[in-house]
Amino acid sequence: MNLSNKTESNWEEFYANQKPPADLENSKKLLQQFVQKNSKVVLVTSGGTTVPLEHNTVRYVDNFSAGTRGSVSAEYFLEHGYAVIFLFRVKSLEPFARHFIGQKFLDMLVLNEQNALKNNKLLQICFTTLSEYLWLLRAACEVLKPLNNQALLYLAAAVSDFYVPSNEMSVHKIQSTTVPNLSLHLVPKILKPLVSLWVPNAFVISFKLETDENLLISKARKALNNYKHSLVIANMLQNRKQQVVMVTANEDYKINLTQEQLNNGEEIEKYIVADVVNKHEQSIIKN
Ligand code: PAZ
């Protein structure tokens, strides 16, 4: 596989060349209606994006994410009175439904009750590919922009850094007679236009996932310096359910669960979301 570094296509080029999802207009309508009904809204992105290698897709590159961070956080944001747009990867974990895996029929009553809550305060929109994700993310930003600092973006999805542009993709299944010469291009850094143009007054949080602890904080701080958004939540793949580091322009600090809390089924997202909500409130007061 060949990683093409000549092209970190700019974001305009990306959107000009990658087709929008078929139901984009319908998703936009749903987003608009939802935001009109709610004033304090958080966009939670969740799950990993795929990068198809063929138009008739048999093979794709995937980013790891079960959707735990996003789905659990969405439930806690609802508890804090936020309306939640949950932009998630098909078949990854979803708020509330995640509790019912394997026992769907026993708990129908509770599920119905939670569905009622969902109808007013939770909008779920799904994606599979990187391209679908980026189109839907921009559409969500368009409707959130007028909310200014009441809008919160919590970008926990694991988004690919590489892709095969549509015009370079094989139409049919790549044959195994030769070693394929795939040229992966760098995905444009979408946080840049998102923070500076699409939702310039919103409270934007990105996540940084690493597997090498020595890189974690420096990479998180680099992202913060580059994009000038509000907060980076840094986590290691290996212990992401037990520890995260909150990285702001002025400080970094850990949020931890003890082994006992973890054993008792506590979820670190409870504490992350409480901290984020506090920061968002402070920023609204300041502005
Ligand atoms: O979905 P999950 O709970 O299995 O994992 C969450 C996570 C590690 C994908 C998330 O916390 C995160 O770091 N997202 C950003 C990944 C990235 O750096 O692209």
Side-chain angles (χ1 to χ4, degrees), residues 45-48 63-72 92-93 154-161 206-210 233-237 240-241 244 269 272:
T45 70
S46 184
N63 263 57
F64 169 80
S65 164
T68 311
R69 181 78 81 227
S71 59
V72 180
S92 66
L93 292 176
Y154 185 87
L155 306 175
V159 182
S160 178
D161 290 320
S206 69
F207 280 74
K208 175 62 70 188
L209 174 65
E210 291 297 338
I233 301 180
N235 52 183
M236 298 284 296
L237 181 69
R240 66 193 188 286
K241 294 190 179 187
V244 300
E269 287 78 9
I272 299 173

Side-chain angles (χ1 to χ4, degrees), residues 236-247:
M236 298 284 296
L237 181 69
Q238 299 88 330
N239 68 352
R240 66 193 188 286
K241 294 190 179 187
Q242 196 167 4
Q243 180 174 296
V244 300
V245 187
M246 311 292 271
V247 182

Side-chain angles (χ1 to χ4, degrees), residues 23 25 27 37 51 59 67 76-77 136:
D23 57 350
E25 288 312 311
S27 301
K37 278 190 243 141
V51 167
R59 303 188 184 94
Y76 284 109
F77 278 118
L136 290 165

